Amino acid sequence: MKNPAQYIYLIPLFISVICSWRSIKNDWAGPLKSFSIFLTFSFLLEISAVWWKLDLHQTAYWNFSKSNLWLYNLYFLPEYIFYVYFFSKALENLWLRYWAKWIAIAYATFGIINILFLQTMAQLNTFNIIFGSSIVILCSCLYFIQEHNRAVPQRVSGTPLFWISLGSLLLHSVSLPYFIFINYLSRTNIPLAMALFNILLILNISMYSIYLIAFLCKNPAPRRLF
């Protein structure tokens, strides 16, 4: 393990997973319980990716490349489709909910084509990340616009929806331009690419810390909002 600091984000992720289980224990609204399962799955994926790179790629029964990109490539599709599902439940506009379904279908179709024929499993599927991050940014902004335009303003800072939207918007607003230019930067300016990658790691820590705040809220969103 050359740089243990790059795995610090696993700490707030793990703590947020543990805290998110209270949504299941206390029978919060369905999408929030689903988000808890999503975080748990994300944590298991991250642990598997680290384990594969450090040890699991080579055993007495097989000998593969230690690259774990294939794990992340398989993860991106359900990850971003889940975000569409989650925010479609948070948005109250029926027209937006309707189009969320078709956005998810379009993303899944493009993602599968990209994995099989375009970027394939041999490299990081940045096209899927770019498309997916754009969707998350759009959905997060639509949620904030929805709350801003309410005839009767509500205090949303005490609800999980607010913090989940904030954390998602924070990370993906930076990851989007990063992955748009990463191939160019990798060829022309590796030190800058690494510096930006470290910033992305810090934002990962911030996002999972904000998710942790979401599941510490005392006033979860009522079921009628979903």
Side-chain angles (χ1 to χ4, degrees), residues 24-39:
I24 298 175
K25 178 183 178 181
N26 297 332
D27 196 26
W28 290 9
L32 293 176
K33 291 189 286 186
S34 298
F35 204 90
S36 173
I37 296 172
F38 165 70
L39 283 178

Side-chain angles (χ1 to χ4, degrees), residues 140-151:
S140 300
C141 289
L142 287 174
Y143 165 76
F144 285 118
I145 292 172
Q146 169 183 285
E147 297 305 318
H148 180 267
N149 291 338
R150 285 191 185 279

Side-chain angles (χ1 to χ4, degrees), residues 77-209:
L77 276 178
E79 176 192 16
Y80 290 114
I81 289 174
F82 174 80
Y83 274 115
V84 174
Y85 156 77
F86 179 82
F87 281 107
S88 72
K89 297 298 183 181
L91 297 174
E92 299 172 4
N93 187 297
L94 295 179
W95 183 83
L96 292 176
R97 288 191 173 193
Y98 170 79
W99 278 104
K101 174 181 67 176
W102 292 106
I103 290 174
I105 293 173
Y107 177 76
T109 303
F110 172 81
I112 292 172
I113 292 173
N114 188 42
I115 288 176
L116 295 178
F117 304 110
L118 300 178
Q119 292 186 305
T120 71
M121 297 291 285
Q123 60 179 310
L124 185 65
N125 291 167
T126 54
F127 294 165
N128 288 0
I129 299 174
I130 292 169
F131 191 179
S133 293
S134 301
I135 293 172
V136 174
I137 292 170
L138 174 62
C139 290
S140 300
C141 289
L142 287 174
Y143 165 76
F144 285 118
I145 292 172
Q146 169 183 285
E147 297 305 318
H148 180 267
N149 291 338
R150 285 191 185 279
V152 180
Q154 299 180 0
R155 182 177 177 272
V156 295
S157 60
T159 64
L161 273 173
F162 170 82
W163 294 105
I164 291 173
S165 301
L166 180 63
S168 302
L169 181 62
L170 176 66
L171 175 68
H172 292 91
S173 294
V174 177
S175 66
L176 176 60
Y178 174 80
F179 285 108
I180 287 175
F181 294 106
I182 185 58
N183 290 329
Y184 172 77
L185 290 175
S186 297
R187 295 192 304 268
T188 61
N189 196 332
I190 292 180
L192 177 58
M194 292 304 299
L196 293 175
F197 177 74
N198 289 331
I199 293 175
L200 208 58
L201 287 176
I202 294 173
L203 289 175
N204 256 297
I205 296 172
S206 300
M207 181 184 73
Y208 290 127
S209 298

